[in-house]
Amino acid sequence: MTTFAAVQEAQGFLAANPDIELIELFILDANGVPRGKLLHREELLALYQSGRPLPSTMLGLSIQGEDVEDTGLVWDVGDIDCRAYPLPGSLVRLPWRQIPTAAVQVSMHPSEGLPATPADPRQLLVRVIEQLEAEGYHPVMACELEFYLLDQKRDAQGRPQPALDADGSRPRQTQVYGLRELEQLEPFLKDLYAACKAQGIPARTAISEYAPGQVEITLEHGPALAAMDQAVRYKRLVKGVAHAHGMQACFMAKPFAEIAGTGMHMHVSLADAQGENLFASEDPAGTPLLRQAVGGMLASLLDSLLLFCPNANSYRRFQANSYAPLAPTWGVDNRTVSLRVPGGPANTRHIEHRICGADANPYLAAAAILAGIHRGIREALDPGAPVEGNGYAQATEHLPTQWSAAIQALEHSEWAREAFGEAFLKVYLAIKRAEYRQFMGEVGEQDWRWYLSNA
């Protein structure tokens, strides 16, 4: 499935965009952070013809951008060059940039990109999809990303604050689903939708979410790999357009203690080779195959939680009655559970996975979801009866709310080792352990407030 773009794509782009001077080459690392280089126009064709060498350490960095030696991608391999190639359809203009600039996404070549290839999040998703397709299942996905629009200036106490509305006022109320709130964002939304259209990203419904300055825009469903490519590029696009409007788009899972966190809801179904939905059913709970998929995701939830909630801050989002999930539960048209089967016509039947924070890497989250589905089908797992009513009140077991517990669960999971591969887990776990040590090693304002005088 790993296909790279032909040089004709670059030639056509350059002919149609004679003003472009610079090209951002980027690859997504384990944390979902774009890393790469800034190329000049005349370097683009060579990238398409023979790829571009990138240091192996580029896929072994912490979220702070620091080398993690235990990944095996630093001194053990001499920070070797690994060759990456451009992805089809990823060469697009960045309309918010002052210098005429384009961007192109690359991925590690399966053989020329070694030893970094197993650490490439997109390559992991490719492998999981190939395993499903080999058995006749073609995953279809869509991504809903929530985010905050923040002021680039902090408040008087140095804390982040919602961006000003178009009328100059500062939003203070939740006003979930408020239309006035969307109207106040019209200048931003206008440019965002225009940029999405120019880049071929199918952005659809926009809603004002459950906090001041919080927005969600849905992306259209499609083949899983293409859908996650679009989610990755959409996230970069949102940040770029927000910056051009004097704002900061924040995808942090829980940026404020007192109001809602930000999630990434993943919608998934399986199709046959002809594109027919294998979950389609007049039964609101879906087909037996759908229920097996749910069973597999529930059985694999703890083992893969670190891919859904990768950071210390991710676990602050798990609070009761917050529309964030707390337990390994499923239900039909019920937003108090982790896995929801939405209502609608029979041919639209699918599963909404509600666990991921907006800080998750879309490729890794999708890979974990699909690997869980594959497990459920192979083992014919029964998810039990769907939850009816308040899922928060009925939960008999809960997801861990400690980052360290999720790291340990992934580290000790034989299922994850088989599903994701030893090489990927070595890199990913090394990064997360290093981040955990550094995070716990810092002393800050909360420590002083709690313990400076009282200990």
Side-chain angles (χ1 to χ4, degrees):
M1 182 187 287
T2 303
T3 57
F4 298 109
V7 68
Q8 289 79 11
E9 186 174 320
Q11 291 169 336
F13 180 86
L14 293 175
N17 296 271
D19 61 322
I20 288 292
E21 299 178 24
L22 300 173
I23 294 96
E24 284 188 356
L25 174 155
F26 76 94
I27 190 170
L28 216 66
D29 73 5
N31 279 302
V33 177
R35 309 279 184 187
K37 299 181 177 183
L38 191 62
L39 308 181
H40 287 272
R41 179 186 178 93
E42 56 270 20
E43 298 177 272
L44 184 63
L45 292 183
L47 167 66
Y48 279 73
Q49 291 165 338
S50 55
R52 184 83 181 194
L54 299 176
S56 57
T57 49
M58 191 171 286
L59 290 180
L61 300 173
S62 73
I63 200 164
Q64 299 274 55
E66 298 169 341
D67 287 341
V68 178
E69 294 183 17
D70 289 345
T71 60
L73 296 177
V74 189
W75 312 125
D76 294 357
V77 295
D79 195 10
I80 190 173
D81 275 340
C82 304
R83 198 161 288 273
Y85 286 80
L87 300 175
S90 69
L91 180 58
V92 291
R93 292 185 69 101
L94 303 180
W96 57 88
R97 298 293 291 270
Q98 295 184 15
I99 300 174
T101 303
V104 61
Q105 185 178 356
V106 301
S107 183
M108 287 296 173
H109 191 278
S111 58
E112 297 176 34
L114 294 172
T117 299
D120 184 340
R122 190 178 188 272
Q123 290 291 348
L124 176 63
L125 178 56
V126 166
R127 293 196 299 274
V128 172
I129 291 173
E130 286 177 340
Q131 291 168 4
L132 276 167
E133 290 185 341
E135 298 182 18
Y137 303 113
H138 299 261
V140 175
M141 298 189 75
C143 184
E144 291 178 356
L145 269 167
E146 298 170 344
F147 58 91
Y148 277 93
L149 286 173
L150 305 179
D151 201 314
Q152 290 182 354
K153 297 180 180 178
R154 302 292 179 91
D155 67 12
Q157 287 73 43
R159 299 173 302 193
Q161 59 182 338
L164 294 173
D165 280 338
D167 63 6
S169 64
R170 182 94 55 198
R172 300 295 183 188
Q173 298 179 339
T174 296
Q175 295 296 350
V176 64
Y177 308 132
L179 294 178
R180 177 192 174 277
E181 284 63 35
L182 293 178
E183 182 181 350
Q184 290 297 309
L185 295 176
E186 185 176 13
F188 165 77
L189 292 175
K190 176 178 177 290
D191 287 350
L192 178 61
Y193 276 117
C196 285
K197 184 177 181 180
Q199 294 193 1
I201 296 174
R204 296 294 181 258
T205 306
I207 61 173
S208 173
E209 269 291 346
Y210 209 69
Q214 191 182 38
V215 181
E216 177 188 89
I217 295 178
T218 61
L219 300 180
E220 198 170 82
H221 70 278
L225 186 60
M228 294 307 106
D229 284 341
Q230 290 165 355
V232 165
R233 296 163 199 166
Y234 167 78
K235 193 171 179 179
R236 293 196 73 221
L237 191 152
V238 170
K239 289 184 176 184
V241 174
H243 181 77
H245 281 261
M247 299 184 288
Q248 178 184 8
C250 172
F251 291 87
M252 188 176 173
K254 188 70 173 175
F256 304 102
E258 65 280 6
I259 53 179
T262 51
M264 180 173 70
H265 297 166
M266 306 282 268
H267 297 255
V268 59
S269 62
L270 297 178
D272 61 19
Q274 289 71 47
E276 297 297 322
N277 184 4
L278 296 173
F279 289 172
S281 175
E282 294 295 342
D283 183 347
T287 60
L289 186 71
L290 181 149
R291 289 189 284 275
Q292 290 177 0
V294 170
M297 284 193 282
L298 291 177
S300 310
L301 178 51
L302 176 58
D303 292 1
S304 49
L305 188 61
L306 189 63
L307 302 178
F308 304 141
C309 305
N311 304 309
N313 177 262
S314 306
Y315 297 85
R316 299 189 188 278
R317 178 171 155 262
F318 294 145
Q319 298 179 12
N321 304 318
S322 66
Y323 291 105
L326 288 175
T329 52
W330 79 290
V332 178
D333 208 7
N334 187 334
R335 287 186 171 86
T336 67
V337 297
S338 294
L339 304 178
R340 168 179 174 254
V341 181
N347 67 317
T348 67
R349 200 73 64 226
H350 68 278
I351 304 163
E352 180 188 26
H353 184 282
R354 299 174 58 82
I355 298 162
C356 301
D359 56 341
N361 182 324
Y363 292 131
L364 298 185
I369 289 169
L370 295 178
I373 288 175
H374 201 184
R375 176 184 183 179
I377 295 171
R378 283 180 166 177
E379 300 179 18
L381 296 180
D382 181 1
V387 170
E388 297 182 7
N390 187 346
Y392 294 115
Q394 299 178 49
T396 57
E397 57 178 315
H398 293 86
L399 300 174
T401 55
Q402 297 84 29
W403 192 20
S404 58
I407 294 174
Q408 291 172 9
L410 181 62
E411 183 175 12
H412 297 137
S413 171
E414 289 302 321
W415 167 80
R417 211 161 296 281
E418 180 181 349
F420 306 136
E422 188 77 42
F424 166 78
L425 286 182
K426 177 184 177 180
V427 173
Y428 190 71
L429 285 168
I431 291 169
K432 290 299 149 186
R433 289 192 212 101
E435 290 174 353
Y436 179 81
R437 289 193 298 268
Q438 185 174 3
F439 187 88
M440 295 303 294
E442 288 191 16
V443 176
E445 188 272 338
Q446 183 173 353
D447 296 79
W448 300 324
R449 181 161 43 85
W450 279 42
Y451 305 118
L452 199 63
S453 301
N454 298 325

